[in-house]
Amino acid sequence: MTATLQQLVERNDLELIRRWLDDHPPHEIADALARLDGVAAGVPFRLLDKDRALAVFEELEPVDQQSILMGLRDLTFHDLVEGMDPDDRARMLTEAPAKVAKRVLAGLSPHERQMTAELLGYPAGSVGQIMTPETVALPRQLTAAEALEVVRQKGAAAETVYVLPVVDTGRCLVGVVELRDLVLSPADAEVAELVDADVPRVRATDVAEHAARLMRETNTLALPVVDSEDRLVGLLTIDDAVEIIEAADTEDVARQAGTAPWPGHYMAVSVWRLARSRAPWLLLLIIASVLTVNVLQVFETTLAQVTALALFIPLLVGTGGNAGAQATTSAVRALALGELRGSDLPAVIWRESRVGLLLGTMLALVGLVVGAVVVGGQIALVVGISLVVICAWAATVGATMPLLAKRLRIDPAVVSAPMVTTLVDATGLIIYFAVAHAVLSL
């Protein structure tokens, strides 16, 4: 069995570490380094040559980049941060401690420092902090041949040349032209005739996640970023958009599961950090579960009269909680994809209530059969009716809570499935005992 990088580092076998690094691409090396602590990761990282070290470094998450940087000497440190793309550097610095940020900025050349400072000047979470300012902007009056010459002269310094913004004399964005179109067009064709003027654009102060999802919806490789006067300031590239969406989806999944997101690789996060990220939600859910206990206390007399009702409490609570969690997850995902808006609340209530009734009816048929065999017809009828009502209620509540949270400017993912489940548990018991009182005339 081939040894992992972690095993080689533990054995301090530098020659085998070097061979392992030579046999693996940058993204696999980055993943292996992210599994190590900062001190251990520095050993194989320092064995990489300059170009591969930069490629690996840019594959790492900001928290892992900071950990690597802290263990590097000044010369290596300078070469690494100077070679980074400005947007990657800015993203790292937004999450870095002041000490690391100061050291990074102090080690940059004036040009790189200015570009980085401009990106850091935009609001946190905005497109401006994620975009690349290194673009090849084409004046609209050029011909295709002249435009290609500009790309040859300036393209090496740009992050991408596949999508080229076209500007007027005031650097206001006219549209974009793809490199493919320039190459395939006649040499004397004017850029103004090839430009796509209807391309979507975003402001530098817009939310980065919204811009990234716009790129996915419009299938663009790069999205022009403009200032308040429609002047070109940069491009949001597809690789950065993918990372933004991945980070947002990771955070949503964590919150839906009732935990707080953590920075860095799962295997490198300490047990204490993982426990600390989950504990607040569990404590909150314990407090919320007191509602269920109180409901059972209120209907204690009913349970004493018909003890058979207690047999089906786990079934009803579990079914209602799962139905609510399914609806919540669907609604949060639809909101993230832009398929739902706050104004859709009435339509969602009508839709999910019918979905819940349909699910409840199907489950009630099973419940009636099981109940009739175990405890008799009357209790079975109570269970069947309760399943229909609880499923309809749970699906409606589960889908509407994220929409209400959105209206209140709260992250819909915070209204997580565990919270909805706890709420539905308590209200589901109230429904169950109310149906029992009506059917059994208690």
Side-chain angles (χ1 to χ4, degrees), residues 98-434:
K99 181 180 178 181
V100 175
K102 184 177 180 180
R103 186 184 175 196
V104 169
L105 291 173
L108 294 174
S109 63
H111 176 65
E112 293 291 334
R113 188 186 305 120
Q114 180 183 352
M115 282 195 297
T116 304
E118 288 175 357
L119 296 182
L120 292 173
Y122 290 106
S126 66
V127 182
Q129 287 198 342
I130 308 298
M131 70 180 184
T132 174
E134 296 178 311
T135 63
V136 178
L138 301 175
R140 64 185 304 176
Q141 66 271 17
L142 297 182
T143 63
E146 292 170 337
L148 287 173
E149 185 58 31
V150 171
V151 173
R152 293 188 188 95
Q153 293 175 0
K154 301 181 179 179
E159 186 168 332
T160 181
V161 294
Y162 300 112
V163 176
L164 300 159
V166 179
V167 296
D168 61 17
T169 53
R171 202 173 170 76
C172 289
L173 182 69
V174 175
V176 300
V177 61
E178 294 187 6
L179 181 62
R180 178 178 183 273
D181 293 333
L182 289 179
V183 173
L184 297 179
S185 297
D188 58 350
E190 295 184 0
V191 169
E193 297 174 353
L194 304 174
V195 68
D196 178 6
D198 296 325
V199 66
R201 64 193 70 184
V202 292
R203 295 284 178 89
T205 52
D206 289 348
V207 177
E209 183 184 346
H210 296 168
R213 296 196 185 280
L214 176 62
M215 285 188 69
R216 184 174 64 182
E217 292 169 7
T218 55
N219 297 317
T220 54
L221 291 176
L223 193 64
V225 183
V226 297
D227 61 14
S228 59
E229 298 180 358
D230 216 33
R231 290 191 298 259
L232 178 73
V233 291
L235 286 175
L236 178 62
T237 53
I238 187 64
D239 58 327
D240 291 329
V242 169
E243 289 186 6
I244 293 167
I245 293 174
E246 180 184 344
D249 288 348
T250 299
E251 182 177 345
D252 286 348
V253 169
R255 295 196 185 283
Q256 283 181 260
T259 184
W262 60 84
H265 199 289
Y266 169 81
M267 294 302 294
V269 179
S270 68
V271 172
W272 166 247
R273 183 65 180 266
L274 286 175
R276 191 175 64 182
S277 70
R278 299 174 187 177
W281 270 108
L282 291 177
L283 292 172
L284 180 61
L285 293 175
I286 285 178
I287 296 171
S289 297
V290 173
L291 288 172
T292 305
V293 176
N294 289 338
V295 171
L296 289 173
Q297 285 181 329
V298 170
F299 291 100
E300 190 174 0
T301 304
T302 304
L303 284 173
Q305 288 178 299
V306 187
T307 55
L309 290 173
L311 296 174
F312 295 93
I313 288 178
L315 181 149
L316 293 168
V317 166
T319 301
N322 288 335
Q326 288 175 336
T328 300
T329 302
S330 299
V332 170
R333 186 61 180 159
L335 281 168
L337 294 175
E339 296 172 354
L340 282 181
R341 297 183 293 272
S343 59
D344 293 323
L345 182 59
V348 170
I349 293 175
W350 172 236
R351 183 182 185 84
E352 286 295 338
S353 61
R354 288 181 295 155
V355 171
L357 284 171
L358 184 58
L359 289 172
T361 302
M362 290 188 290
L363 296 174
L365 294 175
V366 179
L368 283 170
V369 174
V370 173
V373 172
V374 176
V375 292
Q378 278 193 309
I379 301 297
L381 183 60
V382 171
V383 173
I385 295 173
S386 297
L387 278 169
V388 174
V389 179
I390 287 173
C391 284
W393 168 248
T396 305
V397 170
T400 55
M401 284 186 68
L403 285 166
L404 291 173
K406 185 78 170 178
R407 283 191 172 186
L408 296 173
R409 300 181 183 275
I410 300 172
D411 185 354
V414 172
V415 186
S416 61
M419 179 61 74
V420 171
T421 300
T422 304
L423 175 62
V424 170
D425 286 351
T427 54
L429 286 177
I430 295 174
I431 292 170
Y432 180 42
F433 288 117

